[in-house]
């Protein structure tokens, strides 16, 4: 894109519109200052994205008055050599790690990491299940975490980005015909059940109740767990009072103490079925992550009225060709004061997104690009350890190393 001087105002962004004077936006990629009276869609035409890898472009947009620092990575998702995947804090649900460390832990077969952003909200406090993502996560086809009540992002088997609320109908079917809803790789309530797989960690960390250690019954599918499948299982062992070990090939159905009293005797040899139904049907989906709220749908910003708390924010957006990783710095009065959901929605729409989803923000907001953190994390510049991340890789290549300009 040519470096063309543009004079514009960002009127859809209320904080950009300054009474009696122009708001100055510096497009760092183009080395320009833009000012006075139209929209970022016009201004965006003047953004000179810098190509940081074939098909992948980076730009930094900054504002001087009521300062903002916005980092954008744009890439063509139609390219067959580019792929999105999700990661976990320490390769398991238990535990946290920075985006940088999550990317560094990727196996070579994943390809060359190019860019990454922090992912879903997660349990951050000290807790046996610290690191557990709030919503859906699928990594290389493995169903890791079930959805909650907010929206999710995924890439369908045809390579098209999708976003909607995903409803979990995961359940266990008992021999007597009863059905019990199950959670997936998360804390089991006293009156409920949870299916726990090796991706959780070395043991279930459950207390009280009964952990049923399962083995496959017959030649059907087994681990790694996938969406919209039925698994035939047999109880190999019962583990009273919880905290059963997990390991390769082991699934554990954890039954809360209140629920256990309502079920028939839970015995070794009991045959049952596990159903992992998600709606919409996510059969064959390789990458998915939770988030929320929805920022842009069908080209229209969905967050109104303007305002709300200004914080660092992370979002993913897309149109008919490109994905956008966007991180807005915040909580730094001289660098960037952050944005609320309404302003973030406007930013995503004006950048050209037809759809966009908010991800975890605050101290979690991180943009990693070619080996370096491109933004300024709000917690004294130190990356927060997070539950998961969304990473762009180039398939069939090894790790590279390049640094983005700030």
């Amino acid at each position: 894109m040519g470096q063309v001087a543009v004079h514009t105002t960002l009127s859809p962004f209320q904080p950009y519109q300054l009474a009696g004077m122009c708001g100055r936006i510096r497009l760092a990629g183009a080395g320009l200052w833009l000012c006075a009276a139209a929209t970022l869609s016009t201004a965006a035409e003047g953004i000179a994205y810098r190509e940081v890898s074939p098909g992948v472009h980076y730009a930094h947009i900054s504002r001087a008055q009521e300062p903002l620092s916005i980092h954008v990575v744009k890439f063509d998702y139609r390219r067959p050599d580019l792929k999105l995947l999700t990661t976990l804090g320490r390769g398991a649900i238990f535990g946290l790690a920075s985006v940088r460390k999550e990317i560094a832990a990727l196996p070579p077969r994943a390809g060359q990491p190019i860019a990454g952003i922090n992912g879903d909200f997660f349990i951050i406090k000290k807790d046996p299940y610290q690191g557990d993502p709030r919503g859906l996560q699928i990594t290389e086809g493995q169903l890791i975490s079930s959805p909650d009540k907010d929206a999710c992002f995924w890439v369908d088997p045809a390579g098209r980005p999708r976003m909607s609320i995903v409803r979990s109908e995961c359940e266990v079917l008992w021999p007597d015909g009863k059905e019990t809803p199950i959670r997936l790789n998360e804390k089991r309530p006293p009156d409920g059940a949870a299916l726990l797989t090796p991706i959780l960690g070395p043991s279930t960390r459950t207390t009280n109740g009964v952990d049923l250690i399962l083995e496959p019954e017959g030649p059907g599918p087994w681990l790694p767990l996938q969406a919209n499948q039925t698994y035939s299982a047999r109880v190999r062992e019962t583990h009273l009072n919880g905290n059963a070990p997990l390991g390769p090939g082991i699934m554990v159905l954890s039954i809360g103490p209140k629920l256990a009293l309502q079920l028939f005797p839970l015995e070794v040899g009991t045959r049952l079925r596990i159903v992992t139904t998600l709606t919409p049907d996510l059969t064959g989906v390789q990458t998915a992550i939770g988030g929320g709220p929805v920022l842009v749908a069908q080209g229209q910003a969905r967050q109104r009225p303007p305002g709300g708390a200004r914080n660092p924010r992370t979002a993913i957006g897309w149109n008919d060709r490109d994905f956008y990783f966007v991180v807005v710095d915040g909580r730094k009065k001289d660098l960037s004061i952050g944005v609320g959901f309404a302003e973030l929605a406007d930013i995503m729409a004006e950048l050209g997104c037809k759809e966009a989803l908010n991800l975890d923000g605050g101290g979690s907001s991180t943009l990693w690009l070619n080996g370096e953190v491109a933004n300024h994390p709000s917690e004294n510049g130190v990356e927060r350890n997070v539950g998961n991340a969304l990473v762009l890789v180039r398939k069939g290549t090894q790790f590279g190393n390049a640094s983005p300009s700030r």
Side-chain angles (χ1 to χ4, degrees):
M1 186 178 297
Q3 297 188 8
V4 180
V6 180
H7 295 277
T8 181
T9 327
L10 304 160
S11 55
F13 301 81
Q14 291 303 318
Y16 290 101
Q17 193 168 12
L18 305 176
M21 58 191 301
C22 73
R24 300 178 68 195
I25 302 297
R26 181 175 184 268
L27 305 183
L32 300 176
W33 286 92
L34 306 184
C35 82
T39 67
L40 184 56
S41 57
T42 304
E45 296 176 4
I47 299 176
Y49 286 93
R50 180 169 61 87
E51 189 170 54
V52 294
S53 187
V56 183
H57 300 82
Y58 168 79
H60 175 217
I61 304 171
S62 64
R63 182 179 70 186
Q65 298 196 30
E66 293 188 332
L68 280 183
S69 176
I70 305 168
H71 301 264
V72 184
V73 172
K74 180 176 74 168
F75 52 97
D76 186 343
Y77 61 76
R78 301 170 302 174
R79 291 182 62 111
D81 59 332
L82 296 179
K83 177 183 178 181
L84 279 180
L85 52 82
T86 61
T87 60
L88 280 169
R90 295 185 180 177
I93 287 178
F94 293 151
L96 305 171
S98 66
V99 173
R100 182 198 303 266
K101 290 182 178 179
E102 290 190 31
I103 292 172
L106 284 171
R109 62 178 172 78
Q112 177 192 1
I114 301 169
I117 50 176
N118 61 289
D120 196 4
F121 301 87
F122 60 95
I123 296 178
I124 190 171
K125 65 182 180 181
K126 292 290 184 181
D127 183 275
Y129 278 63
Q130 185 184 47
D132 178 23
R134 184 185 70 176
L136 177 68
Q137 183 169 355
I138 297 176
T139 297
E140 296 187 288
Q142 180 176 184
L143 179 59
I144 290 174
S145 179
S146 51
D148 69 343
K149 297 180 180 179
D150 219 325
C152 305
F153 160 78
W154 71 95
V155 180
D156 73 17
R160 296 181 297 255
R162 301 294 187 192
M163 176 178 66
S164 78
I165 292 174
V166 177
R167 186 173 69 254
S168 173
E169 298 170 1
C170 299
E171 60 185 4
V172 55
L173 307 178
W174 300 102
D176 63 358
K178 290 183 179 180
E179 303 172 355
T180 301
I182 54 174
R183 304 184 180 199
L184 177 60
N185 285 327
E186 61 182 272
K187 185 177 292 186
R188 179 259 298 146
D191 58 350
L195 183 67
L196 309 173
T197 69
I199 198 68
L200 184 70
S203 69
T204 64
R205 296 189 183 179
T206 53
T207 56
N208 303 316
V210 181
D211 281 358
L212 305 179
I213 299 176
L214 306 180
E215 62 185 7
E217 173 71 12
W222 197 243
L223 294 172
L225 204 68
Q226 296 183 339
N228 296 88
Q229 299 290 322
T230 299
Y231 297 85
S232 297
R234 176 182 178 274
V235 177
R236 188 183 76 187
E237 180 182 344
T238 61
H239 204 280
L240 299 178
N241 299 317
N243 202 30
L246 287 165
I250 293 176
M251 283 199 281
V252 172
L253 181 62
S254 184
I255 308 297
K258 293 182 179 179
L259 178 61
L261 295 175
Q262 304 171 27
L263 298 174
F264 61 90
L266 302 173
E267 300 174 336
V268 171
T270 298
R271 289 171 170 80
L272 50 87
R273 287 183 294 160
I274 301 291
V275 179
T276 59
T277 300
L278 301 179
T279 304
D281 188 337
L282 299 190
T283 300
V285 168
Q286 297 295 300
T287 298
I289 200 164
V294 171
L295 299 169
V296 181
Q298 299 180 334
Q300 300 296 316
R302 295 300 188 191
Q303 294 299 314
R304 290 292 181 272
R310 288 184 173 276
N311 281 302
R313 302 288 180 186
T314 302
I316 181 170
W318 60 94
N319 53 34
D320 295 334
R321 185 187 66 185
D322 295 317
F323 274 127
Y324 294 79
F325 284 175
V326 176
V327 167
V328 182
D329 286 318
R331 300 176 183 169
K332 294 178 179 290
K333 65 179 181 178
D334 296 325
L335 172 73
S336 187
I337 58 176
V339 293
F341 289 134
E343 189 173 4
L344 180 60
D346 284 336
I347 289 171
M348 301 302 290
E350 295 294 338
L351 283 171
C353 298
K354 290 186 176 180
E355 313 285 333
L357 181 69
N358 180 69
L359 299 173
D360 189 16
S364 299
S365 285
T366 305
L367 174 65
W368 180 97
L369 184 59
N370 279 342
E372 300 292 339
V373 174
N375 73 308
H376 296 262
S378 66
E379 296 177 348
N380 298 316
V382 178
E383 293 175 71
R384 173 186 284 177
N385 291 332
V386 296
N388 58 15
L390 189 59
V391 182
L392 171 67
V393 300
R394 189 176 305 282
K395 296 184 288 186
T397 56
Q398 298 298 312
F399 287 54
N401 185 26
S403 300
S405 299
R406 297 215 177 197

